[in-house]
Amino acid sequence: MSHPSEPQRPVVRVMIVDDHEIVRRGIVTLIDAHPTLTVVGEAASVEEATRRLPAIRPDVLVVDLQLPDGTGIDVMRRAREVAPEQTMLVLTSFDDESARAESRAAGARGMVLKSARSKDIVEAIEQVAAGRTVWPLEVEHDEGEELSPTDRRIVALIGDGCTNRQIAEQLGVAEKTVKNRITTILHTLGLQRRTQVAAREAARRRADWK
């Protein structure tokens, strides 16, 4: 007895904009090896990307921030002029608040670091293609502080009774990322369980109220 075949997932068409050929070729190879992703265009500069975009119209535009004749922000702004609903993901070596803020303002749905694992880069492309957002959490620790600003925010949300999923939605990141950060928080604070973080935060708030 034959069984109806499962419907195939649509292939996501990706365009890569990066001026480092070795990096670009590596990303292209990574994407093309995935069954539901394919690279339909490449560019190494703002000018080349701007010229090629109208004909290619990718599902996801993956852009490096540092380009020889401008920035990835320039590319994304021009892409939105061609296609206002264009889905875009920033692929960069450097993550800082200003880069994230500018990327968001230009319409990017997320950011992934070039140092990320291959599967995380692929997952980020799939996430933004599906209409979700993917933004990395801050991992830098302020001098003299035991937790980073983002980690402190996670602790506060735990204290508010939020689940990992709710925290992920608040921060605009994947739930798995929140779980990883909570593991780091537990290690930093010398705790073993999430409930201990909640109790610690409750005690801190009581002290503040007195």
Side-chain angles (χ1 to χ4, degrees), residues 107-158:
R109 293 196 64 84
M111 175 183 285
V112 63
L113 298 179
K114 290 181 180 180
S115 59
R117 293 174 299 178
S118 297
K119 69 174 187 176
D120 291 335
I121 294 174
V122 167
E123 182 179 302
I125 294 172
E126 291 181 308
Q127 291 285 323
V128 297
R132 303 183 186 95
T133 57
V134 183
W135 295 97
L137 291 175
E138 295 169 339
V139 296
E140 302 85 1
H141 287 225
D142 289 351
E143 187 174 347
E145 295 287 341
E146 56 184 354
L147 295 177
S148 73
T150 299
D151 288 346
R152 290 198 297 273
R153 186 176 175 195
I154 290 174
V155 168
L157 290 169
I158 291 174

Side-chain angles (χ1 to χ4, degrees), residues 80-130:
R80 279 295 179 90
E81 291 174 2
V82 174
E85 300 303 318
Q86 176 69 64
T87 297
M88 300 175 293
L89 174 70
V90 171
L91 179 65
T92 181
S93 299
F94 307 100
D95 173 29
D96 58 62
E97 280 298 329
S98 61
R100 267 188 268 183
E102 282 192 272
S103 298
R104 286 179 192 269
R109 293 196 64 84
M111 175 183 285
V112 63
L113 298 179
K114 290 181 180 180
S115 59
R117 293 174 299 178
S118 297
K119 69 174 187 176
D120 291 335
I121 294 174
V122 167
E123 182 179 302
I125 294 172
E126 291 181 308
Q127 291 285 323
V128 297

Side-chain angles (χ1 to χ4, degrees), residues 117 137 164 175-185:
R117 293 174 299 178
L137 291 175
N164 288 357
E175 186 176 353
K176 182 176 67 175
T177 303
V178 172
K179 291 179 181 177
N180 291 340
R181 293 311 307 164
I182 290 176
T183 298
T184 300
I185 290 167

Side-chain angles (χ1 to χ4, degrees), residues 46 65-74:
V46 174
L65 287 180
Q66 303 298 322
L67 297 169
D69 58 344
T71 70
I73 303 298
D74 299 324

